[in-house]
Amino acid sequence: MTQPKKSGLSRRDLLKTIAGGTGAVALGALPVASVMAQDPVTITYWHGWTEQWENYVQDIVDAFHAHQDAIRVEPLVVPYADFLVRLTAAIASGNPPDIVTFFGSNEIPGLAALGGITPYADLGPPEEIASIKEFLTPAALSGGVVDGALYGTPSGFGVYDLAWNKDHFEEVGLDPDVGPSTIEELDEWADLLTVEDADGNFDRMGLLHLGFGGGGLPRAWFGNFGGQLYDAENDVITANHPGNVRALEWMMSYSERYGVDRLQRFQSGLSGERGGTQDPFVSERLSMHLIGPWKLGDFHRFAADGFRWGVTHLPPVAGEGDSTGWGSWIWGNYQCIPSGAANPAAAYEFAKWWSGITDPDVMAIVAAWKDTPTTTTGSLAALEVDRIATLFDDHPDYRSFFETMGSPRGLTTPMIPVANFYMDRLGSEISQALRLEKSAQEALDAVQTAVENEYRQF
């Protein structure tokens, strides 16, 4: 599923929002109900999915209603650009929703540090919390845990792999069934696949970095260059890790080779990932592109008849591939229960059900919406679900994402209180570097300094 733009609030912004108009309110002091009301109970659920994904959410809610009759869920779409502002205001006023979905883990550490979300240990017995932690993969678990406490479970999970257009490969004499095996091969093929018009403008790009600098895509490459974002063992920010610098310098080489102005003109004519038939990969403006598992369903829904694609893991630098897996950006959409929610126990039951903890078969509904791949899951128990196993037969590329999900080279959100600030600043500085306004070292040094300063305030 897609990741809409985040609002990017720092700790100071959060505190201002919480205090705004009502005086400062300590989030940790807000009451947390510990038992469900008498049945049936209705819980309010905020999420940011729009367009076709709003229907996806409703289908899952309907399945939950069919599963039991003690809890009713009322979903409400809250634009994600305003999500954190509205949520913190609702928490501060004592009238938050019962459950929310965050697109990624960025907001979770900051809200946990401020007491704005309820730890699952307040809602379930210790043995159940332990079983939840065991059920989830390490990457899925990490996105919901702050300082050892579980605050959220994934509603769906995503990774990025590399897709290619098989017809474009055949057009330039490449084997349509084999993706690039190294970064060097990727560069060579990207040049072959790029098409210019008579005026020197691009009709098609083999691979595009510029224009997608604010999201997870650029940092998805860091792991294959040996990079990292945070040293958890020593509690050290590592934004300017040498591997990150190498990866960003490689991405910048595309801006240098093709020209920032020409790339920006090309990118300005592209639709976003939610563009349906106008999606830049579906509309064949890009020959290779980083995609999440949800795009496999989009290919079936929106691509022209005969559209052919392949999927592979992100290739390593030549000579640096090893047995530890593949680099990627690994993230999930997490269900969290705000402090002061009226019905936290009922919300907890809904979160467990959606994640497949109550019944692993539910993961087929979540991961295989309309019988096409939609997301990966937070647990490899999904691989034992018949409907998902069948999906691998019909969509063999889908398995690649599950393989990448377990890779230790994949990067995840650092679970520190300034994670939201960190990811926003990283996206901004990467964008500047890709526009050749800064060197890779300068851009990542700026992130390092800013995040270290912000982190020291906690």
Side-chain angles (χ1 to χ4, degrees):
M1 286 162 283
T2 55
Q3 292 189 93
K5 180 178 175 60
K6 300 187 189 314
S7 54
L9 298 183
S10 70
R11 175 175 181 267
R12 290 189 298 274
D13 296 322
L14 280 166
L15 293 172
K16 289 176 184 176
T17 300
I18 293 163
T22 60
V25 177
L27 290 181
L30 293 174
V32 177
S34 60
V35 296
M36 253 189 284
Q38 66 179 21
D39 296 338
V41 62
T42 297
I43 61 175
T44 55
Y45 165 44
W46 286 12
H47 67 86
W49 281 298
T50 58
E51 302 174 16
Q52 60 173 323
W53 300 112
E54 187 175 356
N55 297 327
Y56 168 76
V57 170
Q58 188 60 56
D59 285 351
I60 293 172
V61 168
D62 290 344
F64 180 65
H65 291 165
H67 166 72
Q68 50 76 54
D69 56 12
I71 303 167
R72 313 307 290 174
V73 180
E74 289 187 351
L76 176 68
V77 176
V78 176
Y80 213 71
D82 303 324
F83 200 93
L84 191 56
V85 171
R86 291 179 60 175
L87 176 61
T88 51
I91 294 170
S93 69
N95 188 34
D98 294 298
I99 187 168
V100 300
T101 295
F102 291 120
F103 293 150
S105 300
N106 295 6
E107 293 89 348
I108 294 175
L111 284 172
L114 294 167
I117 50 179
T118 304
Y120 276 34
D122 288 359
L123 303 168
E127 61 273 15
E128 183 172 73
I129 303 304
S131 68
I132 291 173
K133 290 182 176 182
E134 185 176 349
F135 178 79
L136 298 173
T137 66
L141 176 62
S142 69
V145 171
V146 181
D147 293 331
L150 182 65
Y151 284 90
T153 49
S155 58
F157 219 64
V159 300
Y160 289 108
D161 277 353
L162 182 71
W164 72 88
N165 185 305
K166 290 189 173 185
D167 288 335
H168 292 179
F169 270 41
E170 282 188 340
E171 177 187 313
V172 299
L174 297 172
D175 184 340
D177 297 320
V178 179
S181 60
T182 65
I183 289 291
E184 291 76 8
E185 202 167 52
L186 178 70
D187 291 342
E188 179 184 346
W189 294 5
D191 280 340
L192 283 173
L193 291 159
T194 297
V195 176
E196 300 180 19
D197 64 19
D199 296 323
N201 295 313
F202 297 118
D203 279 337
R204 183 179 82 199
M205 291 295 305
L207 181 69
L208 181 65
H209 298 297
L210 187 70
F212 295 88
L217 302 189
R219 61 182 180 262
W221 293 102
F222 283 6
N224 270 347
F225 285 81
Q228 64 173 152
L229 293 173
Y230 175 63
D231 178 353
E233 183 176 348
N234 297 299
D235 190 26
V236 172
I237 307 298
T238 57
N240 59 357
H241 187 282
N244 300 345
V245 174
R246 268 210 312 160
L248 185 51
E249 287 174 342
W250 167 70
M251 287 181 273
M252 291 170 63
S253 72
Y254 280 61
S255 300
E256 294 162 350
R257 182 159 66 252
Y258 296 119
V260 172
D261 289 344
R262 289 203 300 162
L263 288 173
Q264 287 183 322
R265 285 198 300 272
F266 174 76
Q267 199 278 331
S268 67
L270 300 181
S271 176
E273 190 201 17
R274 291 186 173 194
T277 58
Q278 298 305 308
D279 169 284
F281 186 71
V282 169
S283 62
E284 305 195 49
R285 303 295 307 282
L286 299 175
S287 297
M288 295 184 289
H289 189 45
L290 269 64
I291 67 166
W294 56 91
K295 295 309 297 180
L296 300 182
D298 282 358
F299 297 162
H300 288 277
R301 282 186 281 272
F302 301 121
D305 290 343
F307 181 72
R308 299 188 301 150
W309 70 89
V311 175
T312 189
H313 308 295
L314 273 59
V317 177
E320 297 183 21
D322 56 33
S323 61
T324 62
W326 307 273
S328 187
W329 182 250
I330 305 177
W331 58 278
N333 298 321
Y334 281 82
Q335 314 279 36
C336 294
I337 298 167
S339 297
N343 302 293
Y348 174 63
E349 293 302 319
F350 179 52
K352 287 190 297 178
W353 177 86
W354 187 321
S355 297
I357 294 160
T358 304
D359 176 7
D361 285 348
V362 172
M363 290 187 284
I365 302 172
V366 174
W369 186 46
K370 297 186 183 298
D371 291 316
T372 57
T374 304
T375 181
T376 55
T377 62
S379 173
L380 294 181
L383 302 179
E384 306 301 321
V385 175
D386 289 343
R387 187 175 169 193
I388 292 179
T390 300
L391 207 64
F392 289 146
D393 294 334
D394 297 335
H395 305 274
D397 291 333
Y398 188 35
R399 187 179 297 276
S400 175
F401 297 98
F402 279 90
E403 293 171 349
T404 302
M405 185 179 72
S407 171
R409 295 178 75 181
L411 300 184
T412 58
T413 299
M415 295 305 285
I416 55 177
V418 296
N420 209 32
F421 177 86
Y422 189 170
M423 295 300 101
D424 281 352
R425 189 61 186 262
L426 182 63
S428 174
E429 292 291 340
I430 286 174
S431 293
Q432 291 183 63
L434 292 177
R435 294 194 299 268
L436 303 182
E437 296 168 3
K438 292 183 175 181
S439 71
Q441 190 71 59
E442 289 169 339
L444 295 178
D445 282 348
V447 178
Q448 183 79 22
T449 299
V451 177
E452 285 179 341
N453 290 339
E454 193 77 5
Y455 196 19
R456 276 195 289 268
Q457 297 182 48
F458 275 85

